[in-house]
Amino acid sequence: MDKDLKENILGAMENVIDPEIGLDIVNLGLVYDVDLNDEGICMVTMTLTSMGCPLGPVIVDQIRTVLSDIPEVKDVDVNVVWNPPWSKDMMSRYAKMALGIR
């Protein structure tokens, strides 16, 4: 996958907001990797802020929705992983500023 397409996919996923925190999943550092195979299947490797997050399925559905608008993406496979565990250190500078975290 070329750099521009990867940036386009990540940019689209910035529209997926974690409903509990109110910030997007990319700046929260929840997205670990994205890849697109030759069949057009976009593989998203991500985590959630906690294992018991009740809104995980909502976030996955939102990812599928925003990525369906990208012509190269034919299907989406979201793999939720727990290792490495998420921490506030994974957040972007923007997210930390928005939440008042130093």
Side-chain angles (χ1 to χ4, degrees):
M1 174 170 57
D2 69 29
K3 180 183 169 189
D4 290 338
L5 180 56
K6 186 170 188 168
E7 286 179 13
N8 192 17
I9 289 170
L10 289 170
M13 290 198 314
E14 286 181 351
N15 293 306
V16 177
I17 306 298
D18 182 308
E20 292 182 311
I21 299 175
L23 289 174
D24 70 89
I25 62 173
V26 174
N27 280 294
L28 282 173
L30 298 177
V31 178
Y32 291 165
D33 190 33
V34 295
D35 196 15
L36 187 72
N37 69 17
D38 293 337
E39 290 80 39
I41 299 172
C42 183
M43 292 158 284
V44 177
T45 302
M46 65 169 294
T47 194
L48 300 169
T49 54
S50 67
M51 275 191 175
C53 179
L55 296 170
V58 172
I59 293 171
V60 170
D61 285 344
Q62 288 180 6
I63 292 169
R64 291 182 196 286
T65 299
V66 299
L67 295 185
S68 70
D69 291 338
I70 299 174
E72 294 88 348
V73 176
K74 307 299 180 216
D75 197 6
V76 178
D77 182 16
V78 179
N79 183 25
V80 177
V81 298
W82 303 110
N83 201 11
W86 180 83
S87 75
K88 66 181 182 179
D89 296 332
M90 295 174 166
M91 295 177 6
S92 71
R93 183 173 178 264
Y94 162 77
K96 289 177 182 176
M97 287 173 39
L99 295 174
I101 297 172
R102 294 179 186 229

